[in-house]
Amino acid sequence: MKLDSPLRAGEVALVGAGPGASGLLTLAAAALIGDCDAIVYDALVSDEVMAMADASAEKILAGKRGGRASASQHDICETLIRLARAGKRIVRLKGGDPFVFGRGGEEVRALASEGIAFRIIPGITSGIAAPAMAGIPVTDRSVNATLAFLTGHEASEKSRMDWKALVEAFPVLVFYMGAKNLPDIAKRLLDAGLEKQTPLAIIRNATLADEQTMVATLGEAADGSITARSPSIVIIGDVVAERMNWKDSI
Ligand code: SAH
């Protein structure tokens, strides 16, 4: 099977929609979005991408933005199973890449346990795309040989993470879902030994018309003198200083 071959009746494609700009969809994603019976999409999927959808396809917003209870995840799986059993050709469309902080694993496990055919189409994840839009190389030979992707939810009081070990192993940190907890993230990193002057960038709505980039320091993020709004990628580390601004941004 080729990734972009037409879906069969009762098949689900778990598709990465990329960070927002329709030009960053994969060819397989564009082909499947444009030829299916139903699209079950997350709130993070851009209007621009949805505009490429098959006009006759049923569009179902699965929306779980803000991390609602797992009951809604259950509902999404039930919806996919119901549509598949009805013989529909289904695209399950998720922002970025479906397996990067996207709960795609849970959905394919649910499908597999019901014997439903599925395929997986990776997408460009926002943790890669957002720094690129801001002109920040996520790896730079002079700065880092490792790179960590994290969820900002880890900065909550229940954090199980060893922050000292984290900053020792990873000179560059890319946080998803980090906007709300930004001051807590910054404080934990300072406590773990990072300098107040460590540069960070916040990139909001990356690849979309209203994309915004803000560059600041870890100290400023910790004391609340800068804030971030969702959806933003926060990248922390000396690669931010290697930034080549190739777009007009604020
Ligand atoms: N699976 C997605 C991530 C889902 S978690 C992916 O691979 O990109 C949701 C988080 O993704 C948001 O809180 C934000 O941190 C990030 N995100 C998604 N799209 C974004 C965009 N266009 N610009 C900035 N951040 C984005």
Side-chain angles (χ1 to χ4, degrees):
M1 177 203 70
K2 284 180 67 189
L3 288 177
D4 57 355
S5 62
L7 287 165
R8 289 163 290 153
E11 187 185 355
V12 179
L14 181 66
V15 176
S22 56
L24 294 178
L25 279 173
T26 60
L27 294 174
L32 299 180
I33 293 167
D35 181 20
C36 61
D37 300 318
I39 301 183
V40 182
Y41 65 103
D42 284 350
L44 212 52
V45 175
S46 67
D47 295 344
E48 203 178 310
V49 164
M50 286 308 290
M52 295 177 64
D54 188 330
S56 62
E58 186 185 352
K59 322 260 182 339
I60 301 168
L61 173 63
K64 292 187 296 105
R65 206 155 161 186
R68 285 223 225 100
S70 53
S72 81
Q73 183 63 48
H74 177 79
D75 291 348
I76 294 167
C77 292
E78 290 297 304
T79 302
L80 295 174
I81 291 163
R82 176 177 54 78
L83 292 166
R85 291 215 174 110
K88 306 282 188 200
R89 300 167 306 138
I90 305 141
V91 168
R92 170 66 176 115
L93 193 57
K94 286 173 167 287
D97 181 273
F99 281 172
V100 179
F101 303 125
R103 305 189 71 167
E106 291 162 54
E107 295 183 19
V108 295
R109 281 196 295 279
L111 296 172
S113 72
E114 296 293 323
I116 290 163
F118 64 88
R119 72 178 83 165
I120 298 164
I121 311 293
I124 298 182
T125 188
S126 55
I128 297 287
M133 296 306 289
I136 298 166
V138 287
T139 70
D140 191 288
R141 256 159 61 100
S142 64
V143 177
N144 60 327
T146 58
L147 172 65
F149 293 106
L150 306 98
T151 153
H153 295 161
E154 267 304 317
S156 72
E157 280 150 30
K158 287 176 280 174
S159 177
R160 298 155 294 169
M161 210 154 59
D162 180 343
W163 290 77
K164 241 184 148 76
L166 176 77
V167 302
E168 275 161 20
F170 299 103
V172 175
L173 307 172
V174 176
F175 281 92
Y176 293 70
M177 297 169 277
K180 198 167 128 247
N181 285 342
L182 184 61
D184 294 325
I185 292 169
K187 280 178 207 142
R188 284 190 183 266
L189 293 172
L190 291 174
D191 287 349
L194 288 191
E195 305 279 339
K196 276 191 169 167
Q197 289 312 313
T198 307
L200 67 80
I202 301 164
I203 306 116
R204 179 163 192 258
N205 284 331
T207 81
L208 294 171
D210 54 353
E211 173 183 296
Q212 294 180 336
T213 298
M214 190 163 49
V215 175
T217 64
L218 202 54
E220 289 169 317
D223 69 24
S225 52
I226 54 145
T227 54
R229 283 201 299 148
S230 190
S232 287
I233 287 291
V234 180
I235 177 166
I236 301 168
D238 287 341
V239 287
V240 174
E242 304 297 326
R243 178 175 185 213
M244 298 293 297
N245 189 6
W246 61 281
K247 296 174 68 206
D248 284 330
S249 52
I250 54 167

